[in-house]
Amino acid sequence: PTVLEILSKTEEFSPKGRPVAETDAQLLLAHALRCKRLELFLSFDRPLGEGELAEVRELVRRRGKREPLQHILGSQEFFGASIKCDARALIPRPETEELCEII
């Protein structure tokens, strides 16, 4: 399967009625392929290997169980910096950035 085929299938994935958003699918696939999200759009015809497919399946499975995207990806952008993110800490929110701007 190609990048475009996997994106299409991943966007349709909805275990127990929980859809994976289009952006989430793109971010998960980019993470699995170790590339930037924009690079996906430049390589729609690129075929994926079995190892890459297995990793994408695992990431989508985790997201389908409602694990926060930031925990799966391991980071979150905050105030121009990439913050390491996992289950041990709260996920930085856009509202927190707004509060920092006010302060």
Side-chain angles (χ1 to χ4, degrees), residues 65-82:
K65 289 185 172 186
R66 297 233 185 228
E67 183 174 345
L69 182 65
Q70 296 85 348
H71 291 177
I72 297 170
L73 300 179
S75 66
Q76 170 66 32
E77 292 296 317
F78 179 76
F79 233 50
S82 181

Side-chain angles (χ1 to χ4, degrees), residues 78-98:
F78 179 76
F79 233 50
S82 181
I83 305 291
K84 187 174 179 177
C85 211
D86 62 23
R88 298 175 292 176
L90 296 174
I91 298 168
R93 301 283 182 209
E95 296 82 8
T96 311
E97 284 191 3
E98 290 175 15

Side-chain angles (χ1 to χ4, degrees), residues 6-98:
I6 294 301
L7 275 176
S8 297
K9 289 178 184 177
T10 303
E11 291 166 8
E12 295 170 6
F13 178 77
S14 57
K16 300 177 187 173
R18 299 178 193 151
V20 175
E22 181 179 349
T23 302
D24 286 4
Q26 294 166 0
L27 291 169
L28 292 171
L29 184 55
H31 182 75
L33 299 179
R34 289 155 186 78
C35 68
K36 294 183 180 191
R37 185 174 160 215
L38 178 61
E39 293 174 41
L40 293 177
F41 300 103
L42 302 174
S43 58
F44 276 158
D45 295 333
R46 177 188 183 275
L48 276 71
E50 282 303 315
E52 294 169 328
L53 282 173
E55 186 170 354
V56 170
R57 286 185 190 113
E58 174 60 18
L59 296 176
V60 171
R61 183 193 65 76
R62 289 172 60 188
R63 186 66 183 124
K65 289 185 172 186
R66 297 233 185 228
E67 183 174 345
L69 182 65
Q70 296 85 348
H71 291 177
I72 297 170
L73 300 179
S75 66
Q76 170 66 32
E77 292 296 317
F78 179 76
F79 233 50
S82 181
I83 305 291
K84 187 174 179 177
C85 211
D86 62 23
R88 298 175 292 176
L90 296 174
I91 298 168
R93 301 283 182 209
E95 296 82 8
T96 311
E97 284 191 3
E98 290 175 15

